[in-house]
Amino acid sequence: MSSQIEVPHIETLFKLDGYLTTHEAEIRRRYGCFQSLLKQIDTNEGGLEKFSRGYENFGIHRTPDNGIRMLEWAPGAEGIALRGDFNGWNQTQHQFKKLDFGKWELVIPPNADGSCPIKHNTKIKLVMNTKAGKLEDRLSPWAIRVTREEKVPVYDQVFWDPPQKYVFKNKHPSKPTSLRIYECHVGIASWQGKVATYPEFTKDVLTRIKYLGYNAIQLMAIMEHAYYASFGYQVTSFFAASGRFGTPEELKELIDTAHGMGIIVLLDVVHSHASKNVVDGLNMFDGTDSCYFHGGPRGIHDLWDSRLFNYTEWETLRFLLSNLRWWIEEYQFDGFRFDGVTSMLYHSHGMGHGFSGDYNEYFGLNTDTESLTYLTTSNHMLHSLYPDFMITIAEDVSGMPALCRGVTEGGGGFDYRLAMSLPDMWIKTLKEKSDDDWDLTNIIHTLTNRRYTEKCIAYAESHDQALVGDKTLAFWLMDKEMYSHMSELSPPSIVVDRGMALHKMIRLITMGLGGEGYLNFIGNEFGHPEWLDFPRVGNNESFHYCRRQWNLVDDNNLKYKYLYNFDHDMQHLEAAYGWLAPMAQQYVSRKNQGDKVVVFERVNKLLFVFNFHPTNSYTDYKIGVNTPGKYPLHLSGSTKSESN
């Protein structure tokens, strides 16, 4: 009986939201599924800590005597062999031995001179003998380095065993109370038309992030993905850092340097689905359509055209939980932004579902308990093993209640969820309404409509809004005028003046009211023009829109510097007053639709006043405050001046 399942702190959850008591039995049942999985792991694997270190045994490893040991799980295979540079690419010479439970092992002794038979940075591939009687090339799911030749679409696994491993100099920074995230993509981080590198990002971009005042970066597209234009969301090798940006050691140096600046580093982790690639992905790894995934239609995401994991499969759980541990232990990441959480949470994957807020939508049969149990287990593991620095963020648009409450309360265990309705609201407002028609009541409601004590990351735009087919906020506001009137020498433009003012106001009111954290996508802080489009056949493999034009903000003759400086002052003001901290006082004292004025207070110290009226300005405008007195000006959105 689910009503008899003990959830240690469920009453805390019910005190925060009494309506959840209607679904108490379901909350207890879900917690019971999580506890059952933990018990199985403890019984069969010696605990979650040991179970989640699968990378220490699976994949390829050099043994203490300089031999090679390799362990793989391929339950549908008839046999496995290893070939590569080391054996002249012989398909049958080095055969694996079959073990229990679908596992296969290969041991290669050291050379006669005591050296390792497979040299560092040489290519290898698995040869899978399928039930169809074919010998097919595969990459190890546990590969930590994969590369490809220029103009060759298929990746090769590389045995990565550098003689000198990177030694980290800095510890994980402490978990900040106010989270200000700079969302980054290493490859687009140069103004030049090319794929930027880890060293270039370390040298050129980290200093900008530190100057602006962000205390966290979220790295996208790190997990290797064969298709560059997928933005990193069609992962092919889960344990390999993307080789198109540089070596694993160079990524480690990037993270270490960020830590030395006091900046935490979050990984955009994709455990919601995987690429359909076969030769250099997980799909059909052992010759069957299941293995790590659901077989049949349940294993296919129709919209994304990708494979869906089977979160009840023992070795899939080992693989994914170990993947999280790997990025922390090997690369020293401080946390994760989990991609595609809504897709994981529901059998419908959230497709065609508006989520009205009716609790029956969250606690009915559409919820995928298996996926939710995996996410809960992941959060439990991460926060138990790394309590001092771990941060997890859910990309969830559904608003699943308790997703961002503690596991012991019956929650999902995430620290934050993305406030995904906010950028949609801003884009919709800019697309469909003139300035005169902006509905301040709807804007303020959307900014403040979030679950009490479940923290949200607010943002006005992210990478999603910048992709081809859409435009950045700055381009929505100023469009073609950005090509002709962003110079200090250009004649005045009311479009540019209005656009720069609204760009500042949208970002400040979003950061001021929208959540307990804030996110900005690389370059958008200075009003990056146009959109983002990766090289592909459809654009003749052009990099023109696949870069960040730092030259615009660095040119003192252009007006981009004013947006850049405003963002700098906005971040530093939050750092000084901490209005993003959980439970910080937030009170909207005025939203006057006629005057287009919004007033609110934060942390009993800051008074925010916005005039969104397109033509009217006001003097001696009376507003109420909680604490009477004189309020010095800290931040001003005047178009020309840098903020005070």
Side-chain angles (χ1 to χ4, degrees):
M1 292 290 291
S2 59
S3 60
Q4 297 176 344
I5 296 172
E6 180 66 26
V7 182
H9 302 115
I10 195 171
E11 292 304 322
T12 301
L13 182 65
F14 292 157
K15 286 179 181 177
L16 296 172
D17 186 352
Y19 291 104
L20 287 174
T21 55
T22 306
H23 302 281
E24 179 176 355
E26 175 63 9
I27 294 171
R28 290 186 182 274
R29 185 193 68 81
R30 293 178 182 182
Y31 186 81
C33 294
F34 157 70
Q35 283 285 16
S36 176
L37 177 58
L38 277 192
K39 186 175 181 180
Q40 292 178 58
I41 293 173
D42 287 341
T43 302
N44 299 316
E45 299 286 349
L48 191 55
E49 199 281 334
K50 183 179 178 181
F51 182 58
S52 59
R53 287 183 177 270
Y55 51 83
E56 294 181 345
N57 293 307
F58 284 84
I60 187 168
H61 298 275
R62 180 168 55 84
T63 58
D65 66 351
N66 268 348
I68 289 289
R69 180 178 182 268
M70 201 164 184
L71 182 66
E72 297 293 345
W73 178 68
E78 292 295 310
I80 308 179
L82 182 68
R83 71 181 186 129
D85 293 333
F86 77 102
N87 69 356
W89 294 95
N90 188 303
Q91 283 189 310
T92 59
Q93 181 179 355
H94 291 89
Q95 295 286 336
F96 281 66
K97 174 185 176 183
K98 188 173 185 178
L99 306 178
D100 294 334
F101 308 112
K103 297 175 184 176
W104 299 80
E105 182 185 45
L106 172 66
V107 177
I108 306 176
N111 293 328
D113 62 0
S115 62
C116 184
I118 303 180
K119 306 303 180 187
H120 165 62
N121 207 25
T122 57
K123 296 177 182 178
I124 56 174
K125 284 193 177 183
L126 295 172
V127 181
M128 199 67 58
N129 186 355
T130 69
K131 291 186 183 297
K134 297 180 179 180
L135 298 180
E136 299 183 352
D137 282 342
R138 295 289 189 270
L139 303 189
S140 169
W142 303 81
I144 64 172
R145 174 77 165 160
V146 296
T147 61
R148 67 177 180 88
E149 301 294 333
E150 188 175 357
K151 297 185 179 180
V152 176
V154 177
Y155 276 75
D156 298 306
Q157 182 176 349
V158 168
F159 179 55
W160 193 254
D161 186 31
Q164 289 187 330
K165 297 186 183 297
Y166 186 84
V167 178
F168 286 88
K169 305 175 186 65
N170 300 291
K171 297 180 179 179
H172 293 273
S174 299
K175 189 185 304 186
T177 54
S178 295
L179 196 57
R180 303 182 300 277
I181 303 172
Y182 199 82
E183 185 184 32
C184 312
H185 185 291
V186 171
I188 71 169
S190 170
W191 65 270
Q192 298 171 292
K194 66 173 189 176
V195 177
T197 65
Y198 297 127
E200 289 172 332
F201 189 95
T202 303
K203 176 177 177 290
D204 300 330
V205 183
L206 282 182
T207 51
R208 293 181 184 272
I209 297 169
K210 177 65 176 177
Y211 165 78
L212 285 168
Y214 291 89
N215 57 12
I217 59 175
Q218 179 182 301
L219 287 179
M220 307 172 61
I222 295 299
M223 302 165 78
E224 190 59 273
H225 47 292
Y227 184 42
Y228 189 41
S230 74
F231 228 139
Y233 293 119
Q234 291 278 344
V235 176
T236 45
S237 291
F238 282 73
F239 286 80
S242 183
R244 54 172 57 88
F245 311 137
T247 68
E249 277 57 44
E250 289 168 339
L251 174 57
K252 292 174 185 178
E253 183 179 23
L254 186 162
I255 295 169
D256 195 20
T257 304
H259 285 171
M261 296 177 173
I263 298 172
I264 67 172
V265 186
L266 307 174
L267 175 67
D268 200 344
V269 70
V270 185
H271 282 183
S272 50
H273 65 131
S275 168
K276 265 190 173 179
N277 284 24
V278 173
V279 177
D280 53 6
L282 285 185
N283 191 21
M284 304 289 291
F285 173 64
D286 64 353
T288 72
D289 76 335
S290 53
C291 199
Y292 290 97
F293 307 107
H294 287 291
R298 192 180 176 191
I300 303 293
H301 196 295
D302 294 329
L303 184 63
W304 296 342
D305 193 31
S306 55
R307 297 305 314 272
L308 297 173
F309 288 105
N310 180 356
Y311 302 104
T312 64
E313 176 58 62
W314 197 254
E315 294 303 329
T316 299
L317 287 171
R318 188 198 308 274
F319 179 79
L320 294 175
L321 291 171
S322 297
N323 189 236
L324 297 173
R325 292 291 305 280
W326 167 258
W327 290 110
I328 301 166
E329 296 290 337
E330 185 70 14
Y331 287 93
Q332 301 291 295
F333 278 95
D334 304 290
F336 302 96
R337 178 261 201 191
F338 280 75
D339 179 69
V341 168
T342 303
S343 174
M344 297 174 71
L345 288 176
Y346 305 98
H347 292 293
S348 65
H349 307 300
M351 294 187 291
H353 198 150
F355 294 103
S356 66
D358 185 331
Y359 280 15
N360 292 305
E361 295 177 307
Y362 308 111
F363 297 101
L365 295 177
N366 187 34
T367 299
D368 189 332
T369 301
E370 298 165 4
S371 300
L372 181 58
T373 300
Y374 165 69
L375 290 170
T376 304
T377 304
S378 297
N379 277 306
H380 168 74
M381 176 189 77
L382 293 170
H383 290 96
S384 297
L385 295 177
Y386 310 106
D388 294 334
F389 62 82
M390 179 52 55
I391 295 173
T392 59
I393 302 170
E395 189 208 24
D396 171 46
V397 72
S398 75
M400 166 73 78
L403 187 65
C404 299
R405 293 301 303 176
V407 172
T408 59
E409 295 177 14
F414 284 99
D415 295 295
Y416 298 86
R417 64 157 48 91
L418 292 176
M420 299 180 70
S421 63
L422 304 189
D424 292 342
M425 178 267 293
W426 286 121
I427 292 295
K428 183 179 176 66
T429 299
L430 292 175
K431 281 183 179 180
E432 300 178 2
K433 294 181 181 296
S434 67
D435 294 1
D436 292 327
D437 296 328
W438 279 27
D439 185 349
L440 293 187
T441 298
N442 177 64
I443 290 172
I444 300 305
H445 170 74
T446 306
L447 287 169
T448 56
N449 182 27
R450 55 188 182 273
R451 292 188 56 77
Y452 179 60
T453 72
E454 294 193 43
K455 295 180 289 185
C456 286
I457 302 293
Y459 59 108
E461 56 182 336
S462 71
H463 66 274
D464 288 320
Q465 287 71 42
L467 287 172
V468 63
D470 211 328
K471 298 184 288 190
T472 62
L473 280 182
F475 213 56
W476 274 112
L477 288 163
M478 294 175 276
D479 204 70
K480 63 181 184 297
E481 295 281 319
M482 297 189 77
Y483 296 126
S484 57
H485 287 81
M486 287 299 283
S487 170
E488 295 277 26
L489 305 178
S490 301
S493 166
I494 192 171
V495 173
V496 168
D497 287 349
R498 165 193 175 271
M500 292 182 65
L502 284 175
H503 190 273
K504 296 176 184 179
M505 295 170 72
I506 287 171
R507 298 167 80 81
L508 180 58
I509 198 171
T510 300
M511 190 178 188
L513 276 181
E516 292 72 38
Y518 179 76
L519 179 143
N520 166 69
F521 180 62
I522 181 172
N524 285 356
E525 71 280 359
F526 65 81
H528 202 286
E530 301 171 329
W531 52 85
L532 185 63
D533 190 11
F534 284 84
R536 53 189 172 85
V537 174
N539 64 12
N540 296 318
E541 303 295 335
S542 171
F543 281 87
H544 180 74
Y545 296 109
C546 191
R547 58 194 177 120
R548 295 289 90 178
Q549 298 182 56
W550 305 113
N551 51 300
L552 298 178
V553 72
D554 292 340
D555 189 337
N556 206 42
N557 291 317
L558 299 179
K559 299 175 183 177
Y560 294 95
K561 62 187 177 184
Y562 297 123
L563 301 179
Y564 191 72
N565 291 336
F566 183 84
D567 196 74
H568 164 275
D569 292 352
M570 184 171 73
Q571 303 306 321
H572 283 270
L573 184 65
E574 199 292 323
Y577 286 90
W579 73 73
L580 291 175
M583 305 302 291
Q585 178 258 10
Q586 172 179 300
Y587 176 64
V588 180
S589 59
R590 176 174 293 234
K591 50 178 184 288
N592 189 306
Q593 181 66 25
D595 292 345
K596 290 287 192 291
V597 171
V598 175
V599 180
F600 60 88
E601 297 178 55
R602 296 303 308 264
V603 294
N604 290 312
K605 297 177 181 177
L606 292 177
L607 179 67
F608 292 75
V609 182
F610 294 84
N611 176 16
F612 283 97
H613 203 288
T615 57
N616 291 355
S617 58
Y618 307 100
T619 57
D620 299 326
Y621 195 92
K622 291 184 179 181
I623 56 175
V625 293
N626 186 51
T627 305
K630 291 185 177 181
Y631 285 73
L633 181 64
H634 286 295
L635 191 62
S636 170
S638 59
T639 303
K640 279 280 187 176
S641 65
E642 296 183 14
S643 50
N644 296 307

